[in-house]
Amino acid sequence: MASSRSLSSRIGAMLAGALLLLLSTASAVAQLDVGFYSKTCPHVEEIVRQEMLGILKEAPTLAGPFLRLHFHDCFVRGCDASVLIDSTDVANSPAEKDAPPNKSLRGFGAVQRVKDRLQSACPNTVSCADVLALMARDAVVLAGGPTWPVALGRRDGRVSIASETNQLPPPTSNFTRLSKMFAAKGLDAKDIVVLSGGHTLGTARCVSFTDRLYNFSGANNPADVDPALDGAYVARLRSQCRSLADNTTLAEMDPGSFLTFDAGYYRLVAKRRGILHSDSALLEHPTTRAYVGRQATGLFAAEFFRDFAESMVKMGNIGVLTGEQGEIRNKCYAVNK
Ligand code: HEM
């Protein structure tokens, strides 16, 4: 009796094991895969790259915005292209795109241009979320940065809610805040310092950092500057950004090489010249401070490139929809009817 019970419990355990294996295989099937479109849209990567060459030739300053679009996509509802959806009723139910942190995003038209090319080549096949991931990678490559394999198969979400952009770290973040917000997305201190290196590309509107120049603690007088910012740099930034409220002037985040992806960002941060408070915050923690110091020597750029590629792969996996989830949008700016 005892042995037949143990036999049946052994069989039960084996069945449970087999079920677990089956389930884990099923979820593995739903993972992203570099060759995801090899049968359905075999030239997807070439098409995106070709379009990107044309787009960046016409508008080189879009390299930064493409990288930022992918980041802002992935941090809200995962990399599901929810950032691209237009509000249907902007007054009552604004989409992510109309939330303050996303007002300065650019490049939406170019994303649709790439999507249109893919619609002609392989209709209703490639998701807008994958388009964003590929465009971000190609933007970095074409700006002189590293490449990485982009695993594909993300599906597009059908929901976009402005208030959910509170998951994006604000530029005023200190290190504790950055750590919490990145940890919520499965990213660690190393990812923070490495991905912040994306600020080697692009520009920031003055309003994203003028509090540091004119009104850091609310005293609103000429002496009220962020002590984490180099004094000479404060003067220079003030000459570019004339008032606290200036939300039109753009400042290069890595002056002189804002169109080139390099490790120069870390030299700036090490000299207390990181433009955003969140850039300076990398000096607050021993791990990230050490990384900044090492990269500031200029001797380890290849290591930064490898690290950046690795962290981008991690970021590109955040909360992805796969398999039967979501949809493949026809137009990146609207959910399917
Ligand atoms: C660590 C937390 C981060 C904060 C607080 C932050 C904040 C910002 C802000 C405020 C701007 C300027 C927006 C404007 O005023 O126009 C900006 C620009 C940019 N960010 Fe970040 N960011 C962070 C991380 C990242 C990450 C992870 C990436 C990508 C890997 C990234 C890529 C960029 C790029 C490329 C730009 C320039 C965009 C352009 O030229 O229009 N950022 N970021």
Side-chain angles (χ1 to χ4, degrees):
M1 185 67 183
S3 79
S4 81
R5 198 177 296 136
S6 79
L7 183 68
S8 70
S9 70
R10 272 218 304 275
I11 291 172
M14 275 163 66
L15 280 176
L19 190 69
L20 257 177
L21 189 71
L22 204 73
L23 282 175
S24 69
T25 316
S27 75
V29 168
Q31 294 305 301
L32 304 182
D33 174 6
V34 176
F36 186 81
Y37 300 111
S38 60
K39 298 223 160 54
T40 52
C41 197
H43 303 300
V44 56
E45 298 216 19
E46 277 159 61
I47 295 171
V48 174
R49 191 181 164 85
Q50 221 178 55
E51 281 304 306
M52 283 293 285
L53 275 167
I55 290 166
L56 289 178
K57 202 164 160 210
E58 286 163 31
T61 64
L62 282 180
F66 293 139
L67 177 59
R68 187 165 179 240
L69 268 174
H70 184 44
F71 161 51
H72 281 216
D73 181 31
C74 294
F75 263 56
V76 184
R77 286 190 172 262
C79 317
D80 69 342
S82 54
V83 70
L84 302 178
I85 298 175
D86 282 344
S87 300
T88 45
D89 179 356
V90 71
N92 296 309
S93 56
E96 289 170 29
K97 213 182 208 176
D98 286 309
N102 285 341
K103 288 282 197 190
S104 56
L105 291 175
R106 297 196 293 132
F108 294 102
V111 175
Q112 189 52 43
R113 169 170 159 184
V114 175
K115 171 70 177 176
D116 286 342
R117 269 291 312 275
L118 290 168
Q119 281 294 89
S120 318
C122 359
N124 309 328
T125 304
V126 180
S127 68
C128 297
D130 280 345
V131 170
L132 274 186
L134 289 169
M135 288 178 76
R137 191 267 314 266
D138 289 357
V140 169
V141 172
L142 293 171
T147 189
W148 57 91
V150 177
L152 299 167
R154 294 168 192 77
R155 307 264 300 172
D156 296 325
R158 292 182 51 82
V159 178
S160 181
I161 302 170
S163 60
E164 291 183 346
T165 57
N166 64 2
Q167 294 165 56
L168 291 164
T172 50
S173 303
N174 61 16
F175 187 77
T176 309
R177 179 127 195 226
L178 290 180
S179 317
K180 281 192 187 134
M181 300 192 88
F182 274 67
K185 304 295 165 192
L187 300 175
D188 59 23
K190 179 156 184 200
D191 297 311
I192 296 174
V193 64
V194 167
L195 290 173
S196 292
H199 289 170
T200 176
L201 286 181
T203 54
R205 287 159 313 141
C206 290
V207 75
S208 294
F209 58 87
T210 43
D211 60 323
R212 309 184 77 195
L213 312 178
Y214 295 108
N215 191 22
F216 188 62
S217 58
N220 203 3
N221 66 49
D224 194 12
V225 297
D226 184 345
L229 197 54
D230 169 58
Y233 210 52
V234 168
R236 180 164 154 184
L237 291 174
R238 275 184 178 167
S239 73
Q240 287 181 266
C241 303
R242 297 299 190 151
S243 78
L244 185 63
D246 180 347
N247 69 354
T248 48
T249 309
L250 299 177
E252 297 175 12
M253 300 217 280
D254 183 1
S257 85
F258 78 111
L259 297 177
T260 308
F261 192 101
D262 54 32
Y265 165 82
Y266 296 103
R267 266 196 303 284
L268 278 172
V269 175
K271 281 164 62 183
R272 303 171 65 245
R273 293 179 167 206
I275 204 164
L276 306 176
H277 189 72
S278 61
D279 297 319
S280 302
L282 300 175
L283 298 175
E284 287 170 21
H285 187 271
T287 311
T288 52
R289 186 169 58 237
Y291 193 90
V292 170
R294 183 173 165 83
Q295 286 303 332
T297 63
L299 300 173
F300 304 100
E303 180 186 282
F304 164 54
F305 277 25
R306 277 197 303 276
D307 291 339
F308 191 80
E310 205 174 289
S311 290
M312 284 300 292
V313 169
K314 261 173 104 175
M315 192 178 88
N317 279 325
I318 297 173
V320 292
L321 303 176
T322 54
E324 297 297 307
Q325 297 169 312
E327 63 183 15
I328 302 298
R329 246 177 255 155
N330 303 327
K331 298 280 184 201
C332 290
Y333 51 81
V335 298
N336 294 344
K337 292 259 163 17

